[in-house]
Amino acid sequence: MSTRPAEAGSLKVGSFVVIDNEPCKIVQLDKSKPGKHGSAKVRIVGIGIFDGVKRTLVAPADARVEVPVVRKFTAQVIAKLPSTVQLMSLEDYSTFEVNMPEEEDIRNRLEPGVEVEVWEIMGRKKIMRIR
């Protein structure tokens, strides 16, 4: 299970939401008051975790939205390739490749043997920080 339902009105800035089938971190959230005809609306602005694209979602406060389930685990760098990094999970010792992180400070510190924190969201993995 990679997502779970939540009410749009219960979300907070800094949490995660799925907008256009892309997991996003919420950076802005505006709630309008209930009007004469109907329910309160929520305007959510999120930045894509994997692509960095800004997305907006407008929905009634009681609408069901998908929240991605984030699995965090530690992995060790095996090899640094031109566009990807080869990692070994320290949970089950399986090996996999992830795209090279966008963040320059993380990219510069990746060397074989270094431990990193990996987030797996909706079947995709990303290096979030050096441990």
Side-chain angles (χ1 to χ4, degrees):
M1 192 171 91
S2 57
T3 63
R4 62 178 175 78
E7 275 194 5
S10 69
L11 298 173
K12 292 181 173 39
V13 171
S15 61
F16 303 103
V17 67
V18 177
I19 304 174
D20 301 333
N21 286 329
E22 189 67 37
C24 298
K25 183 173 184 155
I26 299 173
V27 292
Q28 187 183 346
L29 195 131
D30 300 314
K31 292 181 184 167
S32 68
K33 290 189 170 68
K36 188 175 173 183
H37 304 285
S39 62
K41 297 275 191 294
V42 179
R43 182 172 172 272
I44 300 166
V45 178
I47 306 267
I49 294 169
F50 293 103
D51 58 8
V53 174
K54 193 173 182 179
R55 293 179 174 80
T56 307
L57 172 73
V58 178
D62 58 356
R64 286 255 175 253
V65 292
E66 291 297 314
V67 175
V69 175
V70 179
R71 187 174 81 90
K72 301 175 184 180
F73 62 95
T74 305
Q76 188 173 25
V77 177
I78 297 172
K80 190 174 168 181
L81 306 167
S83 64
T84 60
V85 182
Q86 195 173 20
L87 300 171
M88 177 182 72
S89 166
L90 295 179
E91 289 179 328
D92 58 4
Y93 303 108
S94 60
T95 59
F96 56 92
E97 280 187 22
V98 297
N99 288 332
M100 185 64 74
E102 301 284 319
E103 299 83 5
E104 193 72 36
D105 55 325
I106 296 177
R107 198 183 314 170
N108 291 340
R109 291 168 56 197
L110 290 176
E111 296 296 331
V114 170
E115 288 187 9
V116 294
E117 182 177 293
V118 178
W119 287 15
E120 184 177 3
I121 305 168
M122 295 171 68
R124 298 191 296 184
K125 297 179 179 82
K126 181 177 181 180
I127 297 173
M128 296 308 280
R129 64 187 181 96
I130 309 281
R131 289 192 65 91

